[in-house]
Amino acid sequence: MRSVQVRFRGMTSVGGIAILLVLALKTATMSLADDQKSTKTASNPSKSETSFIANSLDISVEQSAMKFVEQHHSELAGLLASLKSMKYEEYEKGIREIDKVRRRLEVLEKRDPKMHRIELEGWKLQSKIDLVLAKGVARDQHIDSASLRLLIEQRVDNQKKRLELELENIRNREKQVTDSLERLVGHEGERVEQQLSTLLKKVDNNKSKKKKTASKE
């Protein structure tokens, strides 16, 4: 499961990048009230530009990604909606990154439901942490260290659960290998005869099929 965990580490970046950009733009817009007209013009593409850009993002990908975020981190969904109108290119990057998270979690759910629940919870916690930090930076405000500490404690507990499950999976796999080895040791000759017989039967079957095909022609 190590490879899965490594992949998921990089999947929380949208919380730190996309959200930070949204909040920074909102803050800049509020502080530069006298320049609202030029800011609006610069941040909103023309209809033709919007149409061209929109075509580059598959609507099903966007809908699936937004549904995922709305279900697991609703506050992030609202910020992404703001990002869409402010900086579409960054919004598109964020949507594609989230869709990667969603698809990888779907694969993991089929292969290992227990690990899927842990990894999903880990993503949610990391996304919330990113949001707290982004708000503090973009708004230049004091960060509620108590709330942040609680999230970090939950994340550490999540990491512990993941490692415990990884260890359980390793032990289960070790038992399977040990059992297979024990069944083989002392019966090597029998296994050879079984495999040889199976292969020869396949050859005979293929010959028989080939003869039947030739006779029909």
Coordinates of all heavy atoms in Angstrom, one line a residue, residues 1-2 163-176:
M1 N 0.8 -1.2 0.0 CA 0.0 0.0 0.0 C 0.8 1.3 0.0 O 0.3 2.4 -0.1 CB -0.9 0.0 1.2 CG -1.9 -1.1 1.3 SD -3.0 -1.2 -0.2 CE -3.8 0.4 -0.1
R2 N 2.1 1.2 0.1 CA 3.0 2.3 0.1 C 2.8 3.2 -1.1 O 2.8 4.4 -1.0 CB 4.5 1.9 0.3 CG 5.4 3.1 0.3 CD 6.8 2.7 0.5 NE 7.7 3.8 0.4 CZ 8.0 4.7 1.3 NH1 7.3 4.7 2.4 NH2 8.8 5.7 1.1
L163 N -1.3 3.5 8.7 CA -0.1 2.6 8.9 C -0.5 1.3 9.5 O 0.1 0.2 9.2 CB 0.9 3.4 9.8 CG 1.6 4.6 9.1 CD1 2.5 5.3 10.1 CD2 2.5 4.1 7.9
E164 N -1.4 1.4 10.5 CA -1.9 0.1 11.1 C -2.5 -0.8 10.1 O -2.3 -2.0 10.1 CB -2.9 0.4 12.2 CG -2.2 1.1 13.4 CD -3.3 1.6 14.5 OE1 -4.5 1.7 14.1 OE2 -2.9 1.8 15.6
L165 N -3.3 -0.2 9.2 CA -4.0 -1.0 8.2 C -3.0 -1.6 7.2 O -3.1 -2.7 6.7 CB -5.0 -0.2 7.4 CG -5.8 -1.0 6.4 CD1 -6.5 -2.2 7.0 CD2 -6.9 -0.1 5.7
E166 N -2.0 -0.8 6.8 CA -0.9 -1.2 5.9 C -0.2 -2.4 6.5 O 0.1 -3.4 5.9 CB 0.1 -0.1 5.7 CG -0.4 1.0 4.7 CD 0.7 1.9 4.3 OE1 1.9 1.8 4.8 OE2 0.4 2.9 3.6
L167 N 0.1 -2.3 7.8 CA 0.8 -3.4 8.5 C -0.1 -4.7 8.5 O 0.4 -5.8 8.3 CB 1.1 -3.0 10.0 CG 1.9 -4.0 10.8 CD1 3.2 -4.4 10.2 CD2 2.1 -3.5 12.2
E168 N -1.4 -4.5 8.8 CA -2.3 -5.6 8.7 C -2.3 -6.3 7.4 O -2.3 -7.5 7.2 CB -3.7 -5.1 9.1 CG -4.8 -6.2 9.1 CD -6.2 -5.7 9.4 OE1 -6.3 -4.6 10.0 OE2 -7.2 -6.4 9.0
N169 N -2.3 -5.4 6.3 CA -2.3 -6.0 4.9 C -1.0 -6.8 4.7 O -1.1 -7.8 4.0 CB -2.5 -4.8 3.9 CG -3.9 -4.2 3.9 OD1 -4.8 -4.9 4.3 ND2 -4.0 -3.0 3.5
I170 N 0.1 -6.2 5.1 CA 1.3 -6.9 4.9 C 1.3 -8.3 5.6 O 1.8 -9.3 5.1 CB 2.5 -6.0 5.5 CG1 2.7 -4.8 4.6 CG2 3.8 -6.8 5.5 CD1 3.7 -3.8 5.1
R171 N 0.8 -8.3 6.9 CA 0.8 -9.6 7.6 C -0.1 -10.6 6.9 O 0.2 -11.8 6.9 CB 0.3 -9.3 9.0 CG 1.4 -8.6 9.9 CD 0.8 -8.2 11.2 NE 1.9 -7.6 12.1 CZ 1.7 -6.9 13.2 NH1 0.4 -6.7 13.6 NH2 2.7 -6.5 13.9
N172 N -1.3 -10.1 6.4 CA -2.2 -11.0 5.7 C -1.5 -11.5 4.4 O -1.7 -12.7 4.1 CB -3.5 -10.3 5.3 CG -4.3 -10.0 6.5 OD1 -4.2 -10.6 7.6 ND2 -5.2 -9.0 6.4
R173 N -0.8 -10.7 3.7 CA -0.1 -11.1 2.5 C 1.0 -12.1 2.9 O 1.2 -13.1 2.2 CB 0.5 -9.9 1.8 CG 1.3 -10.2 0.6 CD 0.5 -11.0 -0.4 NE 1.3 -11.4 -1.6 CZ 1.0 -12.4 -2.4 NH1 -0.1 -13.1 -2.2 NH2 1.8 -12.6 -3.5
E174 N 1.7 -11.9 4.0 CA 2.7 -12.8 4.4 C 2.2 -14.2 4.7 O 2.7 -15.2 4.4 CB 3.4 -12.2 5.6 CG 4.6 -13.1 6.2 CD 5.2 -12.5 7.4 OE1 4.6 -11.6 8.0 OE2 6.3 -13.0 7.8
K175 N 1.0 -14.2 5.4 CA 0.4 -15.5 5.7 C 0.0 -16.2 4.4 O 0.1 -17.4 4.3 CB -0.9 -15.2 6.6 CG -1.5 -16.5 7.0 CD -2.7 -16.2 7.9 CE -3.3 -17.5 8.5 NZ -3.7 -18.5 7.4
Q176 N -0.6 -15.5 3.4 CA -1.0 -16.1 2.2 C 0.2 -16.8 1.5 O 0.2 -17.9 1.0 CB -1.6 -15.1 1.3 CG -3.0 -14.6 1.8 CD -3.5 -13.5 0.9 OE1 -2.9 -13.0 -0.1 NE2 -4.7 -13.0 1.3

